[in-house]
Amino acid sequence: MRRKLVVGNWKMNGSRVANADLLAELKAAGPWNADVAVCVPFPYIGEVALSLQGEAIAWGAQDCSAHASGAYTGEVAVPMLAEFGCRYVIVGHSERRALHGESDQIVAEKARIALAHKLVPIVCVGETLAEREGEQTDAVVKRQLSAVIHTLGHCISQVVVAYEPVWAIGTGRTATPDQAQAVHALLRKQLKAATERADDMKILYGGSVKADNAAQLFAEADIDGGLIGGASLKAADFAAVCRAAS
Ligand code: PGA
């Protein structure tokens, strides 16, 4: 049985005071019988790392540069994240693909550099509403994952995949457990063609996961946890999702 993983994606939210309150409440609410992590804005990583030292909650970043160092103003390199004990880094979130023009190949390069420095990339894939309505879902997620498989080869087994239908992110519209499971099964099949370890890999679902729908989603055979946006900003909500994964 794969152990579930719940990752909070704070996005561009928080403040030093709010983060301290949130983490204090989370520490009090846990531990859970699942892996739990929070991916936080860059400036807060150092403080979050200190707060979570020795706790059962890991931490990570929401993006990274595809380069290890150099003249890339405004970028943050994976070795820097490693210095602060990050276990995870989200790559290819749909907001980065849509708002920052990240291509499948850039996302794959980010996954590669994360692995090279022993961070676990959480590789996001997902279709837009127009793509779903045009029956392009399978083709889109396969194309997005295929770029990463092609770049990483058998090391693909070391990534976490997150299926996040763009139309379900922050909209309150969740994929039904059946809809999500269908795509997760497809992704697992694609991973199986690339690695013998596909059955050990985690495929998370993301998109309006909340306390009241998490258990149903997590009960599906190929849904190994969640990438949680809005509901990761309130300790009680995030703790309830973590409980649902336990
Ligand atoms: P949401 O975001 O839970 O607020 O829909 C999920 C995500 O974008 O990772």
Side-chain angles (χ1 to χ4, degrees):
M1 230 315 272
R2 290 180 291 268
R3 188 174 161 85
K4 296 264 194 282
L5 168 64
V6 178
V7 179
N9 173 12
W10 290 3
K11 307 194 181 186
M12 200 173 72
N13 294 294
S15 68
R16 295 176 73 187
V17 170
N19 302 347
D21 289 347
L22 176 55
L23 293 177
E25 283 185 62
L26 282 183
K27 287 190 272 189
W32 301 276
N33 188 19
D35 292 334
V36 173
V38 289
C39 288
V40 310
F42 292 132
Y44 299 134
I45 289 176
E47 221 163 47
V48 167
L50 285 176
S51 165
L52 293 178
Q53 206 75 53
E55 299 286 335
I57 304 172
W59 58 93
Q62 301 168 10
D63 183 36
C64 63
S65 171
H67 306 278
S69 68
Y72 301 101
T73 301
E75 296 282 282
V76 174
V78 176
M80 300 171 185
L81 302 177
E83 269 195 290
F84 285 91
C86 288
R87 183 175 306 165
Y88 299 100
V89 57
I90 298 170
V91 298
H93 190 280
S94 62
E95 286 151 16
R96 302 235 32 114
R97 292 180 190 261
L99 305 175
H100 301 270
E102 290 193 12
S103 65
D104 295 340
Q105 196 49 43
I106 286 178
V107 174
E109 293 300 335
K110 291 183 174 192
R112 171 156 62 190
I113 198 155
L115 282 182
H117 296 277
K118 309 225 165 356
L119 268 76
V120 177
I122 300 174
V123 177
C124 300
V125 300
E127 82 286 3
T128 61
L129 186 58
E131 288 163 342
R132 175 157 284 262
E133 286 172 345
E135 295 181 2
Q136 293 296 305
T137 299
D138 293 8
V140 168
V141 299
K142 276 169 101 169
R143 188 204 73 223
Q144 291 172 332
L145 184 58
S146 150
V148 185
I149 291 174
H150 197 258
T151 297
L152 299 187
H154 63 89
C155 291
I156 190 70
S157 66
Q158 295 166 41
V159 317
V160 168
V161 176
Y163 169 55
E164 297 205 307
V166 178
W167 48 272
I169 295 178
T171 58
R173 256 184 91 175
T174 324
T176 64
D178 281 354
Q179 281 175 324
Q181 166 58 25
V183 177
H184 282 233
L186 183 87
L187 295 170
R188 179 98 51 205
K189 191 167 159 215
Q190 190 180 359
L191 293 167
K192 275 186 181 161
T195 168
E196 288 171 358
R197 303 192 47 202
D199 279 329
D200 299 329
M201 292 180 64
K202 293 190 206 303
I203 308 177
L204 311 182
Y205 171 78
S208 299
V209 178
K210 300 188 178 61
D212 59 7
N213 58 23
Q216 262 189 308
L217 287 158
F218 297 166
E220 293 293 335
D222 288 292
I223 301 184
D224 306 312
L227 183 53
I228 319 298
S232 73
L233 298 173
K234 283 204 185 129
D237 294 350
F238 190 61
V241 174
C242 295
R243 256 197 316 278
S246 300

